[in-house]
Amino acid sequence: MTSSVGNDYENLTVVWQEAFTSLQQRDYAAALKSFDEFDKKISDWTPSDVLMASWLGLVASQGFLAAYETNHFERALYYANREHGVARSDSAVYVRALNNQGLALLELGRLLEAEARFREALKAPEKFKDEDPINLDLNARQCRILL
């Protein structure tokens, strides 16, 4: 673990659990508030090992969802970028991060950048055929990009 994560791991876990509970209840505004609190408490998103990278990737992905569902697209992009930063480029999580970046960029009207992220994400899945399927949890609003 990095020192910034390791020193405050217990407090971070409590904040993340609050955010996750809010997500489960579909209270995205409360979840985003908790994820932003988490982000303030963790000064360094650099993982020291694969397990920490997986956890931080999950946190960032959930932060993205909370921000996206509350129409805070700049914040959604921030969390998608965090997820992209901790994901291994040889993992399915990396593909999810690219997709999340594309969704946020699309909503921000940055169409060329969004298209580039989607194209990169579409190239990658063949590499990950032996991994667990990617669960993007798309809702109706997000699916419009597929049409």
Side-chain angles (χ1 to χ4, degrees):
M1 283 184 221
T2 62
S3 59
S4 60
V5 174
N7 292 340
D8 205 23
Y9 180 76
E10 213 170 286
N11 290 334
L12 289 172
T13 303
V14 169
V15 173
W16 174 70
Q17 287 172 336
E18 290 170 3
F20 186 69
T21 299
S22 295
L23 274 182
Q24 288 179 317
Q25 297 169 348
R26 298 187 190 278
D27 186 351
Y28 298 113
L32 181 57
K33 183 178 177 183
S34 293
F35 284 118
D36 285 345
E37 180 182 343
F38 180 97
D39 184 51
K40 286 178 187 171
K41 287 180 182 262
I42 185 170
S43 59
D44 181 7
W45 281 75
T46 306
S48 62
D49 57 42
V50 174
L51 182 61
M52 184 55 67
S54 295
W55 183 60
L56 289 175
L58 176 63
V59 170
S61 179
Q62 292 171 338
F64 164 83
L65 176 63
Y68 191 89
E69 289 297 326
T70 56
N71 297 323
H72 290 93
F73 301 119
E74 285 287 346
R75 201 71 187 144
L77 181 58
Y78 172 83
Y79 282 112
N81 289 340
R82 287 295 193 187
E83 180 180 22
H84 185 266
V86 298
R88 292 184 344 261
S89 62
D90 64 343
S91 71
V93 174
Y94 185 77
V95 177
R96 183 183 63 208
L98 289 168
N99 188 71
N100 287 348
Q101 285 177 320
L103 290 170
L105 290 164
L106 182 69
E107 293 294 344
L108 292 168
R110 294 164 58 181
L111 304 181
L112 293 177
E113 291 173 86
E115 179 184 11
R117 295 315 188 290
F118 290 136
R119 286 188 186 280
E120 189 176 348
L122 288 171
K123 290 179 191 174
E126 185 62 30
K127 298 178 189 176
F128 312 117
K129 62 184 176 187
D130 295 330
E131 291 189 32
D132 291 334
I134 302 167
N135 181 358
L136 298 176
D137 293 325
L138 296 176
N139 64 29
R141 186 172 69 188
Q142 293 166 323
C143 285
R144 71 175 182 226
I145 68 164
L146 301 175
L147 302 174

